Amino acid sequence: MTGTIGTTAVRTWTVTAGSGCETAWVEWGDGALRAHGRAFGVGPGPYWVTYELETGEQYVTRRLRVCVEDADGVRELELLRDADSGQWSGNGRVLAGLDGALDCDLGLCPLTNTMPVRRHALHRAPGERTFLMAWVAVPELTVTPSRQTYTHLGPTENGGARVRYASGTFRADVEFDAEGLVVDYPRLAHRHPASGVSGSAGPRSPGR
């Protein structure tokens, strides 16, 4: 994403599913998003995660770069979606079964629920959408197709909404804020009370 960044935010979540914590630095504007984050957990074993995420227009994933370190060593994944063909690749190898997928979904990461919700304004208005996701397991960094449904349930006092997430037999009523960022995701993560610095930003280069 290049050009003007409209909003910046820093969010920290307690990741209950991994008995850890995640902080994400997020920038968005003109229907696109860029973020980087760091996380750690101790379940089922200690691990560290760093990631960089970039989308194109309509919050469609362009690139996800992830590095995990655990007792088995260091693993890295560069997940790319070609905007012209819609083809996904992982570390240079074409990935099957992802035709039609627009989003990545990084395991144990509440940030990657934001893209489909913002694209269809499910944090603001009624609707139900089913998506095919490129789901990235953590800490393994394997990529598999995942069919997921998001259903707007109603507004919350903070100006956001509750959205029901469903995949297979799993269900969770997720609370999003007015910006489409996760506040509470039962059995996965909840936002730290002190988290939430937002503001405007001018032109910024794509590098960090």
Side-chain angles (χ1 to χ4, degrees):
M1 180 171 62
T2 59
T4 301
I5 303 298
T7 305
T8 64
V10 182
R11 296 291 184 265
T12 296
W13 295 271
T14 298
V15 182
T16 52
S19 300
C21 187
E22 174 183 344
T23 296
W25 292 260
V26 192
E27 305 167 330
W28 65 84
D30 297 328
L33 177 148
R34 182 174 60 198
H36 67 284
R38 299 185 180 95
F40 71 89
V42 296
Y47 64 87
W48 285 92
V49 179
T50 60
Y51 65 85
E52 296 179 1
L53 170 66
E54 181 182 351
T55 80
E57 295 179 355
Q58 295 297 305
Y59 304 104
V60 175
T61 296
R62 178 178 293 164
R63 178 179 67 91
L64 174 69
R65 181 178 296 168
V66 190
C67 180
V68 169
E69 183 173 2
D70 63 9
D72 295 324
V74 177
R75 288 178 295 284
E76 295 183 352
L77 171 68
E78 184 170 45
L79 182 66
L80 300 174
R81 181 185 180 276
D82 184 87
D84 295 325
S85 66
Q87 187 174 79
W88 292 79
S89 63
N91 292 340
R93 300 180 61 180
V94 174
L95 299 173
L98 293 172
D99 292 346
L102 301 180
D103 303 291
C104 66
D105 183 6
L106 180 60
L108 304 179
C109 175
L111 176 66
T112 49
N113 297 101
T114 290
M115 291 94 77
V117 166
R118 284 186 67 93
R119 183 185 309 122
H120 299 286
L122 293 173
H123 60 308
R124 296 177 179 171
E128 179 175 286
R129 298 278 181 163
T130 297
F131 307 99
L132 179 65
M133 305 291 199
W135 189 74
V136 181
V138 172
E140 299 87 354
L141 296 189
T142 54
V143 184
T144 55
S146 174
R147 189 75 60 179
Q148 303 175 4
T149 299
Y150 289 68
T151 306
H152 175 99
L153 298 179
T156 59
E157 293 181 357
N158 68 8
R162 278 191 167 79
V163 177
R164 177 161 295 162
Y165 169 96
S167 182
T169 60
F170 181 83
R171 301 285 188 277
D173 293 348
V174 184
E175 182 182 348
F176 290 85
D177 65 16
E179 297 168 325
L181 296 169
V182 169
V183 175
D184 182 64
Y185 190 140
R187 291 179 282 174
L188 176 73
H190 60 269
R191 197 146 82 203
H192 192 278
S195 173
V197 178
S198 298
S200 298
R204 188 174 300 184
S205 68
R208 291 190 180 86

